[in-house]
Amino acid sequence: MFNIIIFLLGAGIMFFMALRSVLARRRLCTQGQKVTATVEGTVKSRDGGAYVLAFTTAGGSHRLHYPKPARGKSFAVGDTVTLYYDPDDPEKMYVEGDRAALGAEVLYAVLGVALLVLTVGIAR
């Protein structure tokens, strides 16, 4: 019985993480600033490589570091991207079409389903 509770808690956490990520991305797309940013280059960040995205708003010029995905589409210097960001917390951002963010959401959901399947297998 204890194993079933553990697996159900794990599945709940995975589904919560997927939902939280989807809602955060949607919130940025609906309530955040939408700008066209230019890729100025790459830098080393604490989490690995990052793109330097530059854009201008009424508040001035901005340069943000956006994490480079391990896989998927990479950007070249000079490319333009659509960026959604929170002006109050610019660290919260999303580049339109970034499949890395979508991959994390899918991974959480798949892990949640796998834990539910294991729970059913244990309960039998």
Side-chain angles (χ1 to χ4, degrees):
M1 182 66 179
F2 183 70
N3 290 340
I4 293 173
I5 293 171
I6 294 296
F7 280 103
L8 286 175
L9 279 173
I13 290 170
M14 291 297 112
F15 288 129
F16 171 76
M17 295 294 288
L19 181 64
R20 186 179 78 159
S21 180
V22 168
L23 292 176
R25 183 173 41 84
R26 285 196 179 154
R27 190 176 312 113
L28 279 174
C29 291
T30 58
Q31 298 173 1
Q33 283 294 112
K34 178 181 178 180
V35 295
T36 301
T38 304
V39 178
E40 288 192 338
T42 59
V43 295
K44 294 279 186 190
S45 72
R46 65 178 184 259
D47 299 324
Y51 293 109
V52 177
L53 303 178
F55 58 94
T56 305
T57 64
S61 296
H62 304 280
R63 292 173 52 135
L64 299 176
H65 293 182
Y66 191 77
K68 261 177 123 171
R71 294 185 202 159
K73 182 181 178 184
S74 60
F75 302 114
V77 174
D79 284 353
T80 58
V81 296
T82 301
L83 175 72
Y84 298 91
Y85 76 102
D86 182 351
D88 297 328
D89 186 5
E91 293 294 317
K92 295 179 182 176
M93 65 185 116
Y94 169 69
V95 170
E96 189 172 75
D98 181 9
R99 293 201 187 322
L102 301 175
E105 295 162 2
V106 170
L107 178 64
Y108 289 137
V110 167
L111 287 174
V113 169
L115 287 170
L116 285 179
V117 168
L118 288 172
T119 303
V120 170
I122 291 172
R124 287 185 179 181

